[in-house]
Amino acid sequence: MEIIIQPDRESASLLAAAKIARLVREKPHAVLGLATGGSPLDVYGELVRLHREGRADFAYVTTFNLDEYLGLPGAHPASYRHFMQEHLFRHINIPSGNTHIPEGLTEDVPEACKQYEEAIRQAGGIDLQLLGIGTDGHIGFNEPSSSLASRTRIKSLTEQTQQDNRRFFQPGEHVPRHVITMGVGTIMEAREIVLLAFGANKAEAVAATVEGPITASVPASILQMHPAAKIILDEEAAGELKRADYYRSVFASKPAWQQI
Ligand code: F6R
């Protein structure tokens, strides 16, 4: 695991976007795993800017999102399909058929999950998976106690996650309890992983992920076993790391080409 501590969210996001843009330049048919929520917003903003400047071409890229709320149609403003359209897809040249998000209105959840896994396989697997992290240590919507070998399936959100995500819904609107999410095992098969965490409310989950034991109680801690995972943080999210100075010095001593 590589821990990269940046002064703020903006510089952290620019770094993550530069890494994705480089991958897409080097491998035009790259398969990206994408996340929703607050953490990747500035990364998507920067990818859109790079695309407009002619520095990132998504014509042959394929994407798979981590998760979707069950029961929300793609047109619902809080659905993750809608989120991705608004913040990334409609601003870049990715063919809509190349974008995959679990189907929130499916009537056969096990079959939809099986097909999602199959589609990832057929695309050749995920080259780079972008992740956020829940305040409870979840990745995707794999809440604490999720099997670390799990595949795409239905999950129930914790009270905490429902509360954290209430901000994306209208006041008084019900936050769905059930979701379809890639499993921890699915995520771990990505060839590279970039996890973003910003703000003091992520500091505890980040410290448990990076410096705690590997445990299903903190699903993100399994990233310690991934051969190519980068954890990109702002200073606040790094606030509870014991070895922060070591991580800073390792990153600072790298040549520029190795920093992304
Ligand atoms: C989103 C996802 C979640 C979020 C996490 C952090 O697709 O899978 O794991 O990444 O809940 O959310 P934010 O970034 O809103 O703090």
Side-chain angles (χ1 to χ4, degrees), residues 8 24 26 70 74 76 79 86 101 159 189 197 219 230 247-248:
D8 50 36
V24 168
E26 289 174 357
L70 266 176
H76 189 287
S79 77
E86 285 308 301
I101 299 185
E159 271 300 318
E189 281 173 10
K230 289 187 194 299
Y247 309 137
R248 282 194 197 92

Side-chain angles (χ1 to χ4, degrees), residues 9 34-41 65-68 80 130-136 138-142 161 164-165 167-168 181 196 198 201-202:
R9 176 195 185 102
L34 300 178
T36 56
S39 306
L41 275 179
N65 265 77
L66 286 163
D67 36 28
E68 180 60 283
Y80 286 165
L130 192 61
L131 296 175
I133 182 169
T135 54
D136 60 5
H138 70 223
I139 47 175
F141 274 139
N142 296 284
T161 301
D164 288 347
N165 289 359
R167 68 193 197 280
F168 296 108
T181 180
L196 304 169
F198 307 128
N201 67 330
K202 298 292 175 75

